[in-house]
Amino acid sequence: MNQANTQQLTGCASITFAQPVYIKSCASIVGKKEGEGPLGKEFDMICEDPMFGADTWEAAESTMQKEAASLALGKAGLSPSDIRMVFAGDLLAQTTASSFGIAGMGIPFYGLFGACSTMGESLSLGSMAIAAGYGDHILCATSSHFASAEKEFRFPLGYGNQRPLSATWTVTGSGACVIGSTPPAEEIPEKTAPLLDGRGCVKITGITTGKLVDYGFKDSFNMGGCMAPAACDTIYRNLCDFDRKPSDYDRIFTGDLGAVGRRILMDLLYEKGIDIEKQHQDCGLLIFDGETQDTHAGGSGCGCAASVLAAHILPRIAAGEWKRVLFVPTGALLSKTSFNEGDSIPGIAHAVVLEHMEV
């Protein structure tokens, strides 16, 4: 094994990058409901038309994801020809939103499926590729759409089914990041803002790869319960691998556990003697207002963690408000086939360590 590589392996499931990977730009696009939530003013674009000018829900999601990718490229002052490869995915069968969207930009493409953890998977794989010298610029993106997800996994909207209080609301949104081996270019600060505002930028210094955790849950209307054990496992292994305490992170963000999953996560970590109450926030609880918006347990979907990352988390790290953040998007790995055949719903969570760097 290459000696340089062995120096980067950390603990049982993590990697420390000897040279950090930098987030050069990011972009977020959401739908009308998300734009009406607490983070509405922070997103790059809010589309009032849920169809995004397309004829189908699936095409609408593809359009949204491609637009987010184009916006991220523009902020970095890059064109598709400058990107070595894309890591992108979504919730739909055969990742069709990505295949008919961002893949059409003509960039070498890897399609991913990590369910709602896909942004963490994308950033992890992209960072490893950058660290290994396989490209100067890599695009990481994902998306979800409420209507396309309901059609795929539950019931078409016209069915008008009732949703239990444990259910989360699939976010209509997309997030995209351009990562590279060097910090954002100082000559185009107006395009990279807010990730380069004269104070700092964001670097990826490590990752923890998640593993499948299956507690036997079968309720597709309780995604938080299905994913919380995986979030617990990844957070615990990240702290062990890097020999850190929760207080070593200014914030620990899970992707879309919602109110139900968050409570389960806290209980599972308490059993291990770990308390992250002060540091923890959940993207699914941030993107919607639980008091005024009828989203039940909170938000979910690939676009949930991705859009909150691009709009809310990365700008605050770049500005120095937070020095070190653990980003842990979570995914429930079910399909309509596995669910209909009565299989349980395993979860997975991938962690990305994000840190502030002065420029």
Side-chain angles (χ1 to χ4, degrees), residues 254-321:
T254 48
D256 40 16
L257 297 181
V260 176
R262 183 183 191 277
R263 185 67 266 156
I264 296 173
L265 173 63
M266 296 300 110
D267 290 343
L268 291 173
L269 286 172
Y270 286 152
E271 293 177 0
K272 296 180 179 292
I274 296 172
D275 182 359
I276 65 168
E277 287 271 9
K278 292 182 179 179
Q279 293 80 25
H280 181 257
Q281 290 186 317
D282 185 72
C283 298
L285 293 175
L286 290 173
I287 198 166
F288 294 124
D289 186 333
E291 297 295 326
T292 63
Q293 293 181 292
D294 184 21
T295 55
H296 294 0
S300 62
C302 293
C304 180
S307 60
V308 173
L309 173 72
H312 181 72
I313 300 173
L314 293 178
R316 283 164 174 75
I317 301 174
E321 181 178 337

Side-chain angles (χ1 to χ4, degrees), residues 116-124 140-142 175-177 302 305-306 309 327 329:
C116 305
S117 73
T118 299
M119 195 62 186
E121 181 181 9
S122 175
L123 288 171
S124 296
C140 304
T142 187
C177 294
C302 293
L309 173 72
F327 177 60

Side-chain angles (χ1 to χ4, degrees), residues 92-291:
L92 305 184
Q94 287 77 50
T95 60
T96 51
S98 303
S99 298
F100 290 97
I102 200 171
M105 299 177 76
I107 306 170
F109 172 76
Y110 284 102
L112 308 178
F113 179 77
C116 305
S117 73
T118 299
M119 195 62 186
E121 181 181 9
S122 175
L123 288 171
S124 296
L125 292 171
S127 296
M128 286 191 282
I130 291 287
Y134 297 143
D136 292 327
H137 302 108
I138 287 176
L139 178 62
C140 304
T142 187
S143 65
S144 58
H145 193 295
F146 174 75
S148 63
E150 289 294 303
K151 178 180 174 182
E152 177 81 15
F153 293 103
R154 299 182 182 93
F155 303 98
L157 298 186
Y159 184 78
N161 65 299
Q162 297 295 306
R163 303 168 64 249
L165 294 178
S166 62
T168 50
W169 188 279
T170 303
V171 165
T172 297
S174 178
C177 294
V178 176
I179 61 175
S181 57
T182 59
E186 295 186 19
E187 64 269 19
I188 52 170
E190 73 283 355
K191 290 187 178 181
T192 56
L195 292 187
L196 183 69
D197 57 6
R199 291 172 287 176
C201 65
V202 183
K203 58 184 180 180
I204 299 173
T205 58
I207 61 171
T208 299
T209 302
K211 65 180 182 182
L212 291 179
V213 180
D214 189 350
Y215 272 34
F217 295 149
K218 297 184 178 182
D219 185 359
S220 68
F221 284 102
N222 186 2
M223 293 291 93
C226 298
M227 297 184 292
C232 171
D233 183 78
T234 298
I235 292 170
Y236 176 73
R237 287 188 296 123
N238 176 272
L239 295 174
C240 292
D241 286 355
F242 288 97
D243 191 23
R244 289 173 181 163
K245 306 180 296 296
S247 58
D248 291 323
Y249 292 106
D250 295 306
R251 291 289 187 275
I252 297 174
F253 284 94
T254 48
D256 40 16
L257 297 181
V260 176
R262 183 183 191 277
R263 185 67 266 156
I264 296 173
L265 173 63
M266 296 300 110
D267 290 343
L268 291 173
L269 286 172
Y270 286 152
E271 293 177 0
K272 296 180 179 292
I274 296 172
D275 182 359
I276 65 168
E277 287 271 9
K278 292 182 179 179
Q279 293 80 25
H280 181 257
Q281 290 186 317
D282 185 72
C283 298
L285 293 175
L286 290 173
I287 198 166
F288 294 124
D289 186 333
E291 297 295 326

